[in-house]
């Protein structure tokens, strides 16, 4: 993500990836915090903020906090971070490709490991789209609204005394982190909200465009 709330343009893709993660192994699902199932885990998905701090996206299951990574706008360092985390499916924002001399063998490592590259647009549109993902119910916009409206981020937290103590502590930790990031990227919030409004139809549903790309193209779009 290279601009405030830019990853919203890939929100359907993120949600499909998370859903597939849980569908593959149903015991991974959080379910209710009340269940406190030790097998429930969050997916190993990562959001790379490149060139700034571009908004809290924890509502999309980028949690714990280590799954949002903040990097300078230097392509070599971004690729280092991608390779460090063993990324196999990579989404990059559309833009003008830049020639980059990466660290020795880092591009080769990425080409060997990454199986899917998708280009998305912060506004939901890309040049020469290969395919689209369409929201079919209002629920597909719920996380988008939470990210773009800080007040909504607290709505899903548990209330005492219905939940185990460790679940409550987790919720408080999440709320504290969210509160600390409430004003992050505030200067770009209005633009992000307008972009999403323009992408939605009369029913409030959005269609996002994507383009399939090669790893080499992705490495030229990292910043």
């Amino acid at each position: 993500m290279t601009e405030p709330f830019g990853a919203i343009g890939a929100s359907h893709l993120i949600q499909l990836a998370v859903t597939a993660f849980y569908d593959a192994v149903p015991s991974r699902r959080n379910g209710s915090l009340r269940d406190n199932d030790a097998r429930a885990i969050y997916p190993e998905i990562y959001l790379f903020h490149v060139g700034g701090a571009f908004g809290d996206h924890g509502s999309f299951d980028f949690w714990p906090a280590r799954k949002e990574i903040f990097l300078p706008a230097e392509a070599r360092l971004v690729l280092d971070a991608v390779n460090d985390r063993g990324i196999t499916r990579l989404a990059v924002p559309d833009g003008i490709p830049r020639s980059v001399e990466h660290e020795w063998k880092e591009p080769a490592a990425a080409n060997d490991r990454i199986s899917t590259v998708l280009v998305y647009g912060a506004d939901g549109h890309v040049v020469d789209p290969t395919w689209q993902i369409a929201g079919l119910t209002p629920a597909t916009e719920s996380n988008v609204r939470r990210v773009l409206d800080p007040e909504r981020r607290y709505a899903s937290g548990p209330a005492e005394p219905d939940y185990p103590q460790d679940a409550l502590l987790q919720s408080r930790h999440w709320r504290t982190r969210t509160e600390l990031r409430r004003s992050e990227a505030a200067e770009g919030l209005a633009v992000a909200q307008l972009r999403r409004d323009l992408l939605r139809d009369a029913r409030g549903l959005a269609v996002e465009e994507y383009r399939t790309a090669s790893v080499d193209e992705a490495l030229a779009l990292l910043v």
Side-chain angles (χ1 to χ4, degrees), residues 144-195:
V144 173
R145 296 185 191 281
R146 288 191 185 98
V147 169
L148 296 180
D149 181 355
E151 297 302 327
R152 289 176 180 262
R153 298 179 200 168
Y154 300 101
S156 60
E160 298 185 44
D162 297 327
Y163 294 88
Q165 188 63 27
D166 54 348
L168 289 168
L169 290 173
Q170 168 74 355
S171 174
R172 291 175 188 138
H173 179 54
W174 182 84
R175 292 185 183 207
T176 299
R177 171 177 175 265
T178 299
E179 179 62 32
L180 290 173
R181 300 182 65 188
R182 182 186 289 267
S183 60
E184 186 177 308
E187 73 285 353
L189 184 58
V191 171
Q193 290 170 333
L194 177 60
R195 281 175 170 172

Side-chain angles (χ1 to χ4, degrees), residues 12-45:
H12 290 349
L13 179 65
I14 296 167
Q15 292 178 104
L16 278 176
V18 170
T19 300
F21 174 83
Y22 289 124
D23 283 351
V25 183
S27 62
R28 292 169 169 169
R29 293 186 187 277
N30 278 347
S32 168
L33 287 177
R34 186 179 289 107
D35 298 334
N36 198 27
D37 190 337
R39 296 173 299 173
I41 59 174
Y42 284 102
E44 288 298 319
I45 57 174

Side-chain angles (χ1 to χ4, degrees), residues 25-166:
V25 183
S27 62
R28 292 169 169 169
R29 293 186 187 277
N30 278 347
S32 168
L33 287 177
R34 186 179 289 107
D35 298 334
N36 198 27
D37 190 337
R39 296 173 299 173
I41 59 174
Y42 284 102
E44 288 298 319
I45 57 174
Y46 299 89
L47 181 59
F48 301 92
H49 296 244
V50 178
F54 295 135
D56 180 6
H57 288 64
S59 294
F60 283 101
D61 278 356
F62 293 104
W63 184 259
R66 65 180 175 84
K67 293 179 183 175
E68 289 193 57
I69 300 97
F70 302 89
L71 300 162
E74 185 174 338
R76 294 172 68 175
L77 296 180
V78 177
L79 180 54
D80 286 351
V82 168
N83 283 346
D84 279 348
R85 288 158 183 82
I87 300 301
T88 56
R89 303 187 188 275
L90 177 65
V92 294
D94 206 1
I96 300 173
R98 299 184 181 184
S99 178
V100 178
E101 184 178 348
H102 288 283
E103 293 286 356
W104 178 247
K105 293 297 184 180
E106 292 290 1
N111 269 284
D112 181 66
R113 186 189 64 258
I114 296 174
S115 58
T116 303
V117 172
L118 298 171
V119 179
Y120 72 92
D123 61 355
H125 299 289
V126 297
V127 176
D128 299 326
T130 307
W131 48 284
Q132 299 175 325
I133 306 177
L136 301 180
T137 73
T140 59
E141 292 297 294
S142 295
N143 287 332
V144 173
R145 296 185 191 281
R146 288 191 185 98
V147 169
L148 296 180
D149 181 355
E151 297 302 327
R152 289 176 180 262
R153 298 179 200 168
Y154 300 101
S156 60
E160 298 185 44
D162 297 327
Y163 294 88
Q165 188 63 27
D166 54 348

